[in-house]
Amino acid sequence: MEEGRPIFQQVAELLENSILDGTLVEEGQVPSTNELAAFHRINPATAAKGVNQLVDDGTLYKKRGIGMFVSPGARAKLRSRRRDEFARQYVQPLLAEARKLGIDPAELKHMIDTWGEN
Amino acid sequence: MSPVATVTDLTKQYRGVTALDRVSFSLAENRIYGLLGRNGAGKTTLMQILTAQNFASSGEVTVFGQHPYENERVLSRICFIKESQTYPSNLAVRHVLRAARLVYPGWDEEFAQRLVDDFQLPPQRNVRKLSRGMLSSLGIIVGLASRAPLAFFDEPYLGLDAVARQIFYERLLADYTEHPRTIVLSTHLIDEVSDLIEHVLLIDQGRIVLDAEAEALRGQVVTVAGPVAAVDEFARTGAELHRVLLGGTARATVRGDFGAAEHNRARSLGLGLEPASLQELVVRLTTQPNGHAPAATTAGATSKEAAR
């Protein structure tokens, strides 16, 4: 796991990524807390905290005695939330770096267009 | 939930040397603790007192709600694996395991045998003929297979290679998941265990200087590097723990509550920001070789050690 950020957050994000890329499908079962702990070599309580965060925000739901499942509609919801974060996480630092190097917005757009074609 | 162990104002003095200085903390049930600190900080003394192998000069210790001294009900539920555990020299590995089976009510023989295979320990070999690493493995096997509700591992790794240590971490985690219990790991290999431990207790010169959730500490300490003025400005948002200078450039380790806003701020100040590891935090919070006690355990304190 990466330094500097709570591990439970990283666990939650990894599960979200799996839902976004289709590795985990809606109504499909999610690995158990113990499986996550063993796989990532982390404390099971920490893994449980990550999973519970996703239960709390509705991404996952619990079937008593069976396990955790991906909620219907979870993928679309995650997508829209991640899209909101995209500007802050990626565009803002991109602009800051461009400014530092004296790349003006027009030039930057041109770069994005050129790279996007490849 | 009542704590498994409670330590209140514990002080231990050896001929005028204060090994533990009014230490207070508690151990909650079914958690993995990291007991960290430099050699001589007081970790072993603390574990000895908790396991009734040493006496306190003053203060109060209760384990499972009772005093541990000469208390069979408490002691049968504790396992203490020492750094250099010695065994009667006429015993073979299998004898040590058989003795442990008699001592620990929760002993799992099948698990012990699996661990013997995992660590490739020769059961018939006399303990005198075991290598340093094999002796450490034997201690680890006893500590794990005892399934003691409260287990202390005091630097259990002497002579163990990275592969064997990894086996230890994996088996510990898997077995703890199946059979939750309270585990105290005293170690110098902080990076190796930082993802395993749930709670950190850091001792320095006989005092507890950190008693915190491991998760809460992650992201609390960052290293920023860049122009001195910008580093100065950023460092004011927290407590500066350490600084090195190179001409007009500085690198500072800062402890604080750093969220996205602070990260953006570092970026806009033109600073490089990197999260520091638990190990780095421990190094910065403990006494340095020059004998200077760290000044930064309270918010706002700064210790600027400029390098030449």
Side-chain angles (χ1 to χ4, degrees), chain A residues 3 8 14 18 25 28-29 32 35-38 50 52 63 65 68 75 84 95-97 99 101 105 116:
Chain A
E3 292 290 352
F8 82 90
L14 288 168
S18 299
V25 296
Q29 189 165 0
S32 73
E35 287 168 338
L36 288 169
N52 286 336
K63 276 190 197 169
M68 299 289 179
R75 189 166 181 215
D84 293 343
L95 288 170
E97 184 71 11
R99 213 173 307 131
L101 301 178

Side-chain angles (χ1 to χ4, degrees), chain B residues 109-126:
Chain B
E109 179 62 24
E110 196 253 335
F111 182 37
Q113 290 307 325
R114 251 187 299 140
L115 290 168
V116 167
D117 290 343
D118 288 341
F119 285 104
Q120 298 175 317
L121 214 55
Q124 307 295 342
R125 192 173 302 180
N126 191 294

Side-chain angles (χ1 to χ4, degrees), chain B residues 189-204:
Chain B
L189 304 174
I190 300 166
D191 280 342
E192 290 191 1
V193 300
S194 65
D195 289 359
L196 291 181
I197 56 186
E198 220 178 324
H199 198 101
V200 176
L201 287 168
L202 174 60
I203 304 193
D204 187 50

Side-chain angles (χ1 to χ4, degrees), chain B residues 111-154:
Chain B
F111 182 37
Q113 290 307 325
R114 251 187 299 140
L115 290 168
V116 167
D117 290 343
D118 288 341
F119 285 104
Q120 298 175 317
L121 214 55
Q124 307 295 342
R125 192 173 302 180
N126 191 294
V127 288
R128 259 181 316 161
K129 304 252 169 74
L130 294 181
S131 69
R132 191 52 254 180
M134 284 172 164
L135 270 177
S136 293
S137 307
L138 182 55
I140 283 170
I141 293 169
V142 171
L144 288 177
S146 74
R147 294 251 170 85
L150 175 58
F152 295 89
F153 290 92
D154 185 7

Side-chain angles (χ1 to χ4, degrees), chain A residues 1-8 10 34 37 41-46 92, chain B residues 32 166 170 173 176-177 195-196 198 215 218-219 260 264 275-278:
Chain A
M1 292 273 131
E2 197 181 302
E3 292 290 352
R5 287 189 309 134
I7 299 176
F8 82 90
Q10 298 182 50
N34 294 353
R41 293 200 188 122
I42 55 174
N43 191 293
T46 311
Q92 207 176 303
Chain B
I32 301 179
Q166 204 56 57
E170 278 173 17
L173 201 52
Y176 164 80
T177 306
D195 289 359
L196 291 181
E198 220 178 324
E215 282 283 84
R218 296 181 78 90
N264 287 337
S277 63
L278 177 61

Side-chain angles (χ1 to χ4, degrees), chain B residues 229-245:
Chain B
V231 170
D232 281 343
E233 196 172 336
F234 184 86
R236 279 197 285 274
T237 59
E240 186 171 331
L241 303 181
H242 181 75
R243 175 180 293 218
V244 283
L245 288 169

Side-chain angles (χ1 to χ4, degrees), chain B residues 240-260:
Chain B
E240 186 171 331
L241 303 181
H242 181 75
R243 175 180 293 218
V244 283
L245 288 169
L246 178 69
T249 304
R251 187 176 70 232
T253 308
V254 186
R255 184 177 177 196
D257 190 9
F258 301 115

Side-chain angles (χ1 to χ4, degrees), chain B residues 19-71:
Chain B
L20 294 172
D21 189 3
R22 281 170 295 130
V23 167
S24 296
F25 67 92
S26 62
L27 299 176
E29 195 178 22
N30 299 343
R31 302 182 117 205
I32 301 179
Y33 287 83
L35 180 59
L36 312 176
R38 302 194 62 195
N39 288 330
K43 304 185 299 285
T44 300
T45 303
L46 179 61
M47 287 186 280
Q48 283 171 343
I49 293 172
L50 276 162
T51 54
Q53 302 191 356
N54 202 335
F55 292 101
S57 302
S58 65
E60 196 68 24
V61 172
T62 56
V63 182
F64 298 111
Q66 301 178 6
H67 293 287
Y69 297 101
E70 302 283 340
N71 187 333

